[in-house]
Amino acid sequence: MAGDGSPEQGHAAAPGPTLERLLSVMGAGALELCVAPGGLGGTVEGVTVLDPLDPGLPRGQVLLAVGVDPRSAAAVDVMRDAAGSGAVAVVFGQGGTGRAPEALRAAAEGAGTALLFRTAWFGWTELVGALRAGLVLSGVPADPAVAAVTLGDLNGLADAVAVLVGGAVTIEDVESRVLAYSSTQDDVDEVRRLTILGRRVPEWRVAAMREAGFFRALWGTGDVLHRPAHGENPERLVVAVRAGGEILGSIWVAAAGRSLAPHASEALRSAARVAAAHLVHHRSHRTHARLVEDAARALLDGRGSAEMLGERAGIPTHGHCAVLAVRPGAGAFEGGGESGKLRGLLAVRCGTFGLTSVVLPVDRGALVLLGALHRNRQRAVEQVAQLGNALVRQVADASGPGARIGLGTVAGTLADLPASRRSADLALRALLSPGEHRAVAFASEVAETVALNQIMDALTGLVLAPETPVARLVAHDAGHGGGTMVQTLRAYLDHFGHVPATAKALGVHPNSLRHRIGRLTEVSGLDLRSPEGRLLAQLQLRLLEHDGREA
C-alpha cells in the first residue's frame, strides 16, 4: 500500500485531526458513514490508496479501497487487513446497489474499524485532494474572531476578515467566481461593485491579470500579494487559500474609504489558513446539492430510487407530494447564469411557504418537486394551487409576461412523482397553446386542450390521402404566393360559420368574405354542410399548426 499524503512539512509534529473532525470538514457530499464501531475519535495521520503489491500500511490511515467491489470477498479481506494494520477507516466505492453488503458491514463491526463509502458524485482524485486538505486544517492558529465562524459560513468569514483587516473582502474560487463578500457601509470601487453584481470578476479584468502573470504569481506563492492603489482602484491585498498542496481559492481585500489596518497582511495570512476548512466544506456541500439534484432527476426520469431522494433531500417517501413545471416569459432567464436566478427565485419562494422543495433546471424552465405536503389530500391540492399562483406572479415580475406553470397531480408517495411530472408537463403544454389565457392550471382544468394535443401527437406522421380539401387549399395558396384560402377556412370554422364574426376577424367586408368562401369551396371541393368534412378540415388545419407548416 502506498501513502499519498501525510501532513505537510512544518506540521509533521502536530497530531492529526480526529476522524470526526475530518468528516465535519469534508461535509456530507463526499463520504457516507456506514458504521463506526470504535467511534470517531481516532486520530487520522494520513490518507493511503490501496496498493495490493505493497502490504505495508502505517497506523492511523484512512485507506481508499479504489477498484475493490464492496460486494466481493476481497473487500472483506481488505477491511480485516486494514484493521490489523491500525487503519482508522476504510473507504469503498458505492458498488452496484448503493447499500453496504452485510458481509462487509459485519467485517467492519468485527474489526472495530470505521466503514465509509465514497459518493458517486465525488471522484477518487477529488476525494484524495479534499482529504489531504482536511488533514492539515486542525491545530492551525488563527484570530479568535475568524476561528469562531461556523464552518461553511463563508459570508460570516468574509465579515470577520473585513473587521480584522479594515477593508472590503471577497472570497473567490479558482475560476474567479465570488463565493462570499463582506457587508460594508463604506464606499466601494467600481471593480468590486461589478464583481459582486456579476458574482464573478469581470472577464476583462481576469484577462488583464492573466496576461500580466498575476495568477501565476498568486498560485505560486503562499504569501500575501499587495497591489498598490492606482487611479480609481484602491489598495488591494490578496492571498491564495490552499491546503494539502491543493489550491482552493483566494481572499481579496480592498481598501474602502480609508487605509487598511497596519497588521492587515498578517491577519489575512492567518485567515487564509482557517478559510481552507471553509472552502473544503463548501465544495462538499455543493457536491451534496448536485447529489440531491441528480437523485431527483433520476427519479423523475424513471430510473431512480424514491428512498435515495428521500434520504438526500430530507423528504418523507410516504406522504403527499407533487411536481410543478415552470416556464418563464419569453426572452427571460436564458443562459446558465439566468437559469440560476430562476432556480433561486423558486427555491426562496417555496421556502417562504414553508414547503420542502427541490428545484431542477430543465430546458427553457424548471421543475419544482414539492414534498411533505399536508396529510389531507384536499389541503395538499390547495397548497399546490396557492403556491403555483404565487410563483407565477413572482416569475412574471422577474421575467416579463407570458410565464406559465403546469401543476402536477398530488401523489401519495415519492415513487409516484414521475406521474405527477407527466401531468404537470401536459398542463404546461396546454397553457402554452394558442388561445389559452390562463397562467396556472392542473391538467384536469385544461383537459380539452390536453386531449387535443394528445390527438395531434397521435396523428403526427400519419400519411393522409393527398387530395383532401385542405391539401388542395394548401397547394393553391402555395401556387399563388399566399395563405389566403387556408387562413379564410380556419377563421370560418373557428367562428362556427358566422359570416359577420369571421369577416371582422379577417378584416374584410362580409360580401367580400362570401365571395371568398364561394371560391374556397370551388377550389377545395369541401362541403361546408358536412359534419365529417368540417371535422377532417379542422384536424388537418390543427396538424398544419402542430407541424409548423402553416401556409
Side-chain angles (χ1 to χ4, degrees), residues 429 452-465 468 470 474 486 490 535-551:
R429 182 182 173 190
L452 183 59
N453 286 336
Q454 291 173 321
I455 291 173
M456 292 301 103
D457 289 342
L459 293 178
T460 299
L462 182 65
V463 179
L464 301 177
T468 63
V470 170
V474 170
V486 171
R490 180 182 292 114
L535 174 61
L536 177 60
Q538 282 278 27
L539 287 175
Q540 284 199 271
L541 290 172
R542 291 282 186 177
L543 282 172
L544 288 177
E545 295 177 356
H546 185 270
D547 295 340
R549 293 186 281 106
E550 292 185 67

Side-chain angles (χ1 to χ4, degrees), residues 54-187:
D54 182 7
L57 180 67
R59 295 189 65 80
Q61 301 293 300
V62 172
L63 177 64
L64 307 183
V66 180
V68 180
D69 187 342
R71 298 166 298 180
S72 66
V76 175
D77 293 337
V78 168
M79 176 61 72
R80 290 172 179 163
D81 291 345
S85 299
V88 176
V90 182
V91 181
F92 289 89
Q94 283 284 1
T97 64
R99 290 191 287 267
E102 288 303 318
L104 185 58
R105 178 192 288 269
E109 291 175 341
T113 301
L115 169 62
L116 299 103
F117 286 90
R118 173 186 65 85
T119 66
W121 328 107
F122 221 84
W124 283 113
T125 302
E126 189 177 11
L127 179 61
V128 170
L131 284 169
R132 290 183 64 204
L135 285 175
V136 300
L137 298 177
S138 62
V140 177
D143 184 279
V146 175
V149 176
T150 303
L151 189 64
D153 182 7
L154 292 181
N155 285 315
L157 178 64
D159 283 336
V161 175
V163 171
L164 291 175
V165 300
V169 172
T170 56
I171 301 175
E172 301 171 11
D173 65 10
V174 294
E175 300 296 330
S176 297
R177 292 180 293 241
V178 175
L179 304 179
Y181 56 90
S182 62
S183 53
T184 177
Q185 300 300 319
D186 298 315
D187 294 335

Side-chain angles (χ1 to χ4, degrees), residues 11-46:
H11 299 283
T18 64
L19 181 58
E20 182 177 20
R21 166 64 178 166
L22 184 60
L23 292 180
S24 69
V25 170
M26 294 292 294
L31 292 170
E32 294 180 343
L33 177 64
C34 175
V35 61
L40 299 174
T43 299
V44 179
E45 301 293 344

Side-chain angles (χ1 to χ4, degrees), residues 130-452:
L131 284 169
R132 290 183 64 204
L135 285 175
V136 300
L137 298 177
S138 62
V140 177
D143 184 279
V146 175
V149 176
T150 303
L151 189 64
D153 182 7
L154 292 181
N155 285 315
L157 178 64
D159 283 336
V161 175
V163 171
L164 291 175
V165 300
V169 172
T170 56
I171 301 175
E172 301 171 11
D173 65 10
V174 294
E175 300 296 330
S176 297
R177 292 180 293 241
V178 175
L179 304 179
Y181 56 90
S182 62
S183 53
T184 177
Q185 300 300 319
D186 298 315
D187 294 335
V188 295
D189 60 280
E190 183 66 8
V191 171
R192 173 176 168 82
R193 189 182 71 83
L194 292 174
T195 297
I196 291 174
L197 289 177
R199 302 298 296 179
R200 65 179 302 130
V201 180
E203 286 296 335
W204 58 266
R205 180 80 166 182
V206 172
M209 289 191 292
R210 186 180 295 117
E211 185 176 350
F214 176 79
F215 288 113
R216 189 163 53 251
L218 175 62
W219 307 136
T221 180
D223 208 351
V224 175
L225 297 184
H226 176 257
R227 304 194 77 186
H230 178 70
E232 295 182 355
N233 294 323
E235 174 188 11
R236 273 181 165 79
L237 298 177
V238 59
V239 65
V241 179
R242 65 181 74 231
E246 183 172 3
I247 299 169
L248 304 171
S250 59
I251 305 177
W252 288 74
V253 178
R258 60 182 183 273
S259 299
L260 297 175
H263 61 284
S265 292
E266 182 55 40
L268 186 58
R269 194 176 293 114
S270 174
R273 292 193 290 267
V274 177
H278 289 268
L279 290 186
V280 169
H281 188 276
H282 173 76
R283 181 184 294 181
S284 296
H285 176 75
R286 290 183 63 191
T287 301
H288 178 66
R290 290 198 302 270
L291 185 153
V292 172
E293 180 179 323
D294 276 18
R297 201 178 296 279
L299 177 64
L300 293 185
D301 290 345
R303 53 183 175 80
S305 160
E307 289 73 19
M308 179 67 73
L309 174 59
E311 178 183 343
R312 298 300 184 199
I315 301 174
T317 55
H318 288 79
H320 289 130
C321 50
V323 176
L324 280 63
V326 181
R327 177 73 61 84
F333 295 127
E334 295 178 351
E338 297 300 313
S339 174
K341 293 179 183 178
L342 173 62
R343 183 178 184 176
L345 184 155
L346 295 171
V348 169
R349 191 61 180 171
C350 290
T352 62
F353 271 70
L355 298 175
T356 303
S357 66
V358 178
V359 181
L360 299 178
V362 295
D363 183 35
R364 292 182 291 174
L367 296 174
V368 181
L369 281 69
L370 299 174
L373 296 173
H374 199 280
R375 287 180 294 178
N376 179 276
R377 179 179 174 79
Q378 184 56 41
R379 290 287 302 277
V381 172
E382 292 171 359
Q383 279 182 302
V384 173
Q386 290 170 359
L387 177 65
N389 283 294
L391 284 180
V392 82
R393 289 193 295 268
Q394 291 281 324
V395 174
D397 288 344
S399 68
R404 298 288 186 269
I405 297 182
L407 307 178
T409 53
V410 172
T413 69
L414 289 186
D416 298 323
L417 276 180
S420 180
R421 186 260 180 95
R422 287 191 291 273
S423 69
D425 285 340
L426 289 173
L428 176 61
R429 182 182 173 190
L431 292 172
L432 294 170
S433 298
E436 180 56 64
H437 301 295
R438 280 174 288 191
V440 181
F442 288 97
S444 59
E445 297 174 315
V446 285
E448 297 91 339
T449 307
V450 169
L452 183 59

